[in-house]
């Protein structure tokens, strides 16, 4: 927890940050958004899940991962016994890129403030990053999800577990990719269990 902040203070600070994001015009993505998709979960989450950017459904509803890849993600959490009450879900970019194109460097840079601050306030035990954009946010541009996944990394004081983006699972239809994804989620659950047992 950021030094000296109670849960209520952290929760309030997250709401203030979300209100600030609602008015953000720091990059061009604000021009076409219906809503800012700030995040879902509470300030006491143990796992911060970080995707890429909102899609069409997320933009309309203002909630991350409500489309097909979100359904897959939530089913996978349930399959490995990861309760959603432990999870805060967000993205590296909080506004939808038009036509679901990749976020561009100035957009990633403009949005960095929000994810950095979410990380600081939530202070999770684990960061679960989904796909290349989230992986590179934490570990840098030279990393690729295909070789980085399957293990954990230290990012500042956090345990980072990178895995595939769920939309890749939908697109690849490959059972091997599915089982690697499940194995990565189990790694996160094992880590939480170890910490609880201490
Ligand atoms: N894909 C993402 O990366 N994030 C969402 O919120 C939805 C789809």
């Amino acid at each position: 927890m950021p030094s000296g902040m109670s849960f209520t203070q952290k929760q309030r600070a997250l709401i203030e940050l979300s209100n600030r994001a609602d008015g953000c015009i720091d990059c061009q993505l604000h021009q076409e958004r219906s809503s800012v998709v700030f995040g879902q979960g509470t300030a006491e989450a143990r796992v911060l899940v970080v995707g890429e950017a909102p899609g069409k459904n997320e933009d309309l509803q203002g909630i991350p991962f409500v489309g097909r890849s979100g359904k897959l993600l939530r089913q996978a959490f349930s399959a490995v016994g990861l309760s959603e009450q432990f999870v805060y879900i967000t993205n590296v970019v909080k506004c939808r890129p038009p036509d679901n194109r990749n976020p561009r460097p100035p957009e990633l840079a403009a949005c960095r403030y929000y994810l950095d601050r979410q990380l600081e306030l939530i202070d999770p035990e684990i960061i679960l990053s989904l796909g290349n954009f989230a992986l590179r946010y934490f570990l840098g541009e030279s990393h690729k999800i295909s070789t980085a996944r399957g293990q954990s990394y230290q990012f500042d004081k956090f345990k980072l577990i990178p895995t595939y983006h769920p939309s890749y699972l939908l697109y690849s239809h490959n059972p091997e990719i599915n089982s690697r994804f499940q194995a990565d989620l189990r790694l996160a659950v094992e880590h939480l269990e170890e910490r609880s047992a201490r």
Side-chain angles (χ1 to χ4, degrees), residues 7-195:
F7 166 68
T8 314
Q9 286 168 328
K10 287 203 299 175
Q11 192 67 20
R12 198 173 298 138
L14 263 186
I15 292 168
E16 279 165 16
L17 187 65
S18 169
N19 292 341
R20 173 174 169 163
D22 282 340
C24 179
I25 52 168
D26 290 348
C27 80
Q28 62 173 13
L29 294 183
H30 78 276
Q31 289 166 357
E32 293 187 43
R33 73 178 176 223
S34 304
S35 44
V36 173
V37 183
F38 182 73
Q40 186 182 44
T42 76
E44 64 186 352
R46 300 178 69 189
V47 183
L48 181 70
V49 179
V50 183
E52 181 179 320
K56 187 171 178 208
N57 293 310
E58 290 78 17
D59 175 63
L60 291 173
Q61 296 184 42
I63 303 169
F65 284 100
V66 289
R68 283 177 70 220
S69 58
K71 190 168 172 210
L72 188 153
L73 182 66
R74 290 165 206 274
Q75 282 170 346
F77 286 163
S78 156
V80 298
L82 183 56
S83 162
E84 282 198 36
Q85 138 204 356
F86 291 151
V87 165
Y88 187 100
I89 304 179
T90 190
N91 288 299
V92 286
V93 164
K94 313 297 192 214
C95 298
R96 181 188 182 213
D99 303 319
N100 296 341
R101 66 160 170 73
N102 287 339
R104 294 177 178 152
E107 297 156 358
L108 291 160
C111 226
R112 195 160 188 115
Y113 167 77
Y114 293 101
L115 183 50
D116 284 352
R117 187 87 182 110
Q118 282 172 312
L119 188 54
E120 187 189 341
L121 288 169
I122 296 167
D123 194 17
E125 291 159 50
I126 295 176
I127 303 167
L128 182 72
S129 67
L130 308 174
N132 275 321
F133 279 90
L135 168 71
R136 290 172 185 156
Y137 183 93
F138 295 106
L139 292 190
E141 286 303 312
S142 60
H143 289 81
K144 279 201 303 211
I145 198 61
S146 51
T147 47
R149 62 145 299 277
Q151 55 187 308
S152 63
Y153 300 79
Q154 204 61 35
F155 172 75
D156 288 344
K157 59 180 172 161
F158 307 104
K159 179 81 68 184
L160 171 71
I161 300 180
T163 192
Y164 299 111
H165 193 286
S167 63
Y168 178 60
L169 274 73
L170 290 171
Y171 153 88
S172 71
H173 284 296
N174 181 338
E176 177 59 31
I177 301 287
N178 264 296
S179 54
R180 289 188 208 148
F181 182 68
Q182 296 258 341
D184 294 338
L185 297 194
R186 276 198 299 274
L187 193 61
V189 172
E190 278 161 23
H191 182 70
L192 290 181
E193 285 170 354
E194 257 169 43
R195 301 248 329 195

